[in-house]
């Protein structure tokens, strides 16, 4: 019989893997295209694509935060002596989740409301890309911790 800990670890591994893969795809597929678009074309495309991207990533982000944090809490309290791995997994998960409130929420609103001039757009997209890379870094750490925890279980 598979216990709750293994199920949570598998779900954490799966959701973090899908989330990380989607974020990497966004970075390497969407961002280069966005950077090459004329500013007016970018804002026109963003008006249509932005809400679709949000509807895809919002629930995935929540799942990639809630499931690993549940796994971390239960393991730290009940299941495991691997405090270091689960602490790093929890902190990394909180770090990538916090980037939404620290940066992405406001930046994405600026794109949606076209609060940027055409001249400001290239630097804003570069800044967005830099934050996105940082977010991916923390996601990768959380994902790696989920793999290590699974292997040690």
């Amino acid at each position: 019989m598979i216990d709750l800990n293994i199920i949570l670890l598998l779900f954490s591994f799966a959701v973090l893997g899908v989330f990380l893969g989607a974020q990497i795809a966004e970075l390497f597929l969407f961002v280069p295209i966005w950077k090459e678009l004329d500013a007016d074309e970018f804002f026109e495309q963003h008006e249509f694509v932005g809400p679709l991207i949000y509807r895809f990533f919002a629930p995935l982000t929540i799942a990639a935060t809630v499931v690993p944090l549940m796994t971390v809490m239960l393991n730290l309290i009940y299941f495991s002596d691997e405090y270091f791995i689960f602490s790093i997994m929890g902190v990394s998960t909180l770090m990538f989740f916090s980037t939404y409130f620290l940066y992405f929420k406001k930046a994405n609103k600026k794109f949606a409301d076209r609060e940027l001039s055409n001249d400001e757009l290239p630097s804003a997209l570069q800044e967005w890309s830099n934050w996105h890379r940082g977010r991916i870094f923390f996601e990768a750490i959380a994902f790696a911790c989920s793999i290590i925890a699974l292997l040690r279980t």
Side-chain angles (χ1 to χ4, degrees):
M1 182 169 173
I2 298 178
D3 66 15
L4 178 61
N5 186 37
I6 297 294
I7 292 169
L8 286 171
L9 282 170
L10 286 170
F11 277 130
S12 293
F13 164 77
V15 73
L16 285 167
V18 169
F19 186 56
L20 177 61
Q23 293 281 295
I24 290 170
E26 184 178 34
L27 179 66
F28 289 106
L29 296 176
F30 290 151
V31 174
I33 293 170
W34 294 339
K35 287 181 175 181
E36 290 185 13
L37 291 175
D38 172 70
D40 290 326
E41 192 175 8
F42 168 82
F43 287 117
E44 184 179 310
Q45 290 290 323
H46 191 276
E47 187 176 335
F48 174 74
V49 176
L52 296 175
I53 293 172
Y54 179 80
R55 283 196 300 266
F56 174 78
F57 276 111
L60 186 55
T61 303
I62 291 167
T65 302
V66 171
V67 174
L69 288 179
M70 284 176 35
T71 304
V72 165
M73 288 188 307
L74 289 173
N75 270 280
L76 290 176
I77 294 169
Y78 298 111
F79 297 134
S80 180
D81 293 329
E82 298 283 347
Y83 297 109
F84 181 73
I85 292 296
F86 285 107
S87 296
I88 297 297
M89 185 174 163
V91 168
S92 297
T93 299
L94 290 172
M95 292 295 289
F96 78 67
F97 184 71
S98 71
T99 61
Y100 176 75
F101 298 100
L102 293 172
Y103 176 75
F104 287 103
K105 183 176 182 180
K106 186 175 181 179
N108 291 341
K109 186 169 177 10
K110 284 183 180 181
F111 293 138
D113 295 343
R114 199 174 180 159
E115 292 178 14
L116 301 164
S117 71
N118 288 3
D119 292 335
E120 293 171 315
L121 182 62
S123 63
L125 285 172
Q126 185 58 51
E127 181 180 26
W128 191 98
S129 177
N130 293 340
W131 272 87
H132 195 70
R133 287 174 192 274
R135 179 182 219 186
I136 287 171
F137 173 76
F138 290 114
E139 293 164 12
I141 291 172
F143 181 62
C145 288
S146 74
I147 294 170
I148 292 167
L150 266 174
L151 293 173
R152 290 185 178 177
T153 299

